[in-house]
Amino acid sequence: MFRRREPVPFAFVAEADRFRSNVAPPPRERASRAQVAGRTLMGLVVAGGLAGALLLGLPALQQDSAGMSTVHHSRSEAANSR
């Protein structure tokens, strides 16, 4: 990363910047077929739930143009009768 340019008061701190381990971590275990299938199924369930919520929620998000026009007409009729 970044190298320090200023002097360090403790020698072990300066040595720690240059230290590199020669021990490699063990390789990761491969996921079994059951784990891969479970993760895939969980992803499909989550995606299906989001899609279902969107499909069920769309009618509630749509504006009712007929309802808005009746409110508008009632206001204009009230204003014309004055």
Side-chain angles (χ1 to χ4, degrees), residues 44-61:
L44 288 174
V45 166
V46 169
L50 291 173
L54 182 64
L55 288 175
L56 292 174
L58 278 178
L61 295 174

Side-chain angles (χ1 to χ4, degrees), residues 17-46:
D17 287 340
R18 291 182 280 166
F19 178 75
R20 295 284 184 247
S21 175
N22 61 353
V23 178
R28 292 183 58 182
E29 292 183 19
R30 294 188 61 168
S32 67
R33 288 185 188 208
Q35 288 175 331
V36 172
R39 291 175 187 169
T40 303
L41 183 62
M42 182 60 73
L44 288 174
V45 166
V46 169

